[in-house]
Amino acid sequence: MDKRISALIENIEKVIVGKHDVILNAVTALIMEGHVLIEDVPGVGKTQLAAALSRSVGGSFNRIQLTPDIMPSDITGFSMINRTTGEFEYKKGAAFCNFLLADEINRASPKAQSALLEVMEERQISVDGQTHTLMRPFMVLATQNPVETYGTYHLPEAQMDRFAMRISMGYPTLTEESAILERNEFENPVSKLSAVITTDDVAALQDEAKKVRAAENVKNYIVSIAEATRNDENIKLGISPRGSIALFKAAKARAFIDGRDFITPDDVKDCAAIVLAHRIMLSPKGKALLGSAEAVIEAAVSGVSVPTE
């Protein structure tokens, strides 16, 4: 593992206790230049993870608490008249940063949610005929509570598809929660974090990860998994080519993190559920038999032949 990546993971673990796999997935999303939807109940560390990641990199960090009265201009920015010059002047919105925490994204209105589409896909903002390019790296970490539905707006499939992966924090064990209490006894441990790598380091890692090679049979393996979801009676809406591309990039990033310059089928399998589960719609049979989208994806992957050469 690259020493910059190991330093990043170790630094985040000073705040997030006992969630190595979750942190690894978040770092994988960062290396693949993807965005993350963190879905879990309140109070398990979703916001802490986003803050710890941004502080560890040393990039600019903005947090926007999404509520029904948030306007698209709060995210993208707006133009207003400068009284001194008499000309329109662009005022940047929350998206102009390296790390954007969109807290409780499902509480924003569909109009405000749609403002994130161009931001996440194109990494740019178009306002009044002018295009503004965002910083690099740029990453959206959005949170939502999957249990509470009062006052929320369902994220449409087009929005969900923009997230490279969906991850869940989960409850800590008794030992882990005791450690959390100790770390938070006097102050928030995030406040003591310092940057261990720079945004230039992240950009360099992202460029290096793109050079990871994939054999033709591994590419076919990824495509076969996507095809399997389209012909699965447990799935109503299967994986699109954007999902295949995301799985390909995630597998590259995971291989790079592991210190390899080539993808293995295990890289693909390890990333499949977190990259694909939020992109599908289950059929009534799938909901009844397997319950969760992750279980359906794992079943679909297990039905695809693994390349051996």
Side-chain angles (χ1 to χ4, degrees):
M1 181 182 293
D2 188 288
K3 63 180 181 180
R4 292 166 293 183
I5 297 175
S6 60
L8 176 59
I9 292 174
E10 289 171 9
N11 206 49
I12 297 172
E13 287 180 332
K14 293 178 181 177
V15 174
I16 306 299
V17 181
K19 302 296 179 184
H20 180 79
D21 289 344
V22 174
I23 295 170
L24 178 61
N25 289 334
V27 172
T28 299
L30 175 64
I31 299 301
M32 68 178 282
E33 299 186 68
H35 309 291
V36 177
L37 178 63
I38 312 172
E39 189 177 83
D40 218 320
V41 297
V44 292
K46 300 187 297 294
T47 303
Q48 290 283 81
L49 174 62
L53 176 60
S54 65
R55 278 182 173 266
S56 297
V57 173
S60 57
F61 172 69
N62 284 340
R63 173 182 177 180
I64 183 166
Q65 189 71 38
L66 294 169
T67 56
D69 60 345
I70 287 290
M71 300 295 292
S73 58
D74 294 323
I75 299 170
T76 62
F78 57 91
S79 296
M80 63 180 295
I81 292 179
N82 185 317
R83 293 185 179 181
T84 303
T85 63
E87 298 179 350
F88 277 98
E89 189 175 279
Y90 179 65
K91 299 293 183 180
K92 294 180 179 180
F96 281 86
C97 59
N98 295 116
F99 297 92
L100 175 63
L101 172 58
D103 229 348
E104 295 189 282
I105 189 172
N106 56 334
R107 289 196 177 278
S109 68
K111 192 172 184 179
Q113 289 177 10
S114 66
L116 284 167
L117 290 176
E118 181 185 19
V119 171
M120 295 172 69
E121 185 69 16
E122 306 295 336
R123 286 172 167 75
Q124 65 181 29
I125 290 173
S126 300
V127 177
D128 297 331
Q130 297 293 319
T131 299
H132 306 273
T133 303
L134 297 177
M135 303 176 185
R136 187 186 183 209
F138 174 71
M139 184 180 192
V140 173
L141 298 108
T143 71
Q144 72 171 357
N145 176 2
V147 178
E148 191 175 23
T149 58
Y150 183 76
T152 62
Y153 299 87
H154 174 74
L155 291 180
E157 279 63 43
Q159 182 77 61
M160 293 291 284
D161 212 26
R162 260 61 175 191
F163 288 102
M165 59 179 66
R166 178 178 66 184
I167 62 179
S168 176
M169 299 295 293
Y171 286 113
T173 65
L174 288 174
T175 303
E176 290 166 355
E177 194 158 3
S178 295
I180 291 171
L181 292 180
E182 185 176 344
R183 292 187 186 186
N184 286 269
E185 184 174 4
F186 300 108
E187 61 182 336
N188 188 334
V190 171
S191 64
K192 297 187 292 184
L193 278 190
S194 57
V196 293
I197 63 173
T198 67
T199 53
D200 288 340
D201 288 329
V202 172
L205 291 170
Q206 291 172 341
D207 289 338
E208 290 170 29
K210 292 175 184 176
K211 299 175 184 177
V212 172
R213 297 176 289 105
E216 200 64 31
N217 59 355
V218 175
K219 292 179 184 177
N220 291 336
Y221 181 50
I222 294 172
V223 173
S224 297
I225 291 173
E227 180 65 20
T229 67
R230 300 166 194 160
N231 300 309
D232 192 327
E233 59 183 5
N234 295 316
I235 300 174
K236 183 179 178 181
L237 176 67
I239 297 301
S240 69
R242 182 188 280 129
S244 301
I245 294 170
L247 182 55
F248 184 39
K249 290 181 177 179
K252 276 192 167 193
R254 185 59 59 86
F256 178 72
I257 290 172
D258 286 345
R260 285 179 280 105
D261 64 352
F262 60 92
I263 300 175
T264 68
D266 284 339
D267 295 323
V268 177
K269 288 193 287 185
D270 288 345
C271 297
I274 57 173
V275 172
L276 303 181
H278 63 286
R279 303 173 191 271
I280 64 172
M281 291 178 62
L282 301 185
S283 66
K285 182 179 179 181
K287 291 179 181 178
L289 288 179
L290 297 172
S292 70
E294 285 78 9
V296 172
I297 289 296
E298 288 171 2
V301 171
S302 66
V304 178
S305 298
V306 179
T308 56
E309 295 183 359

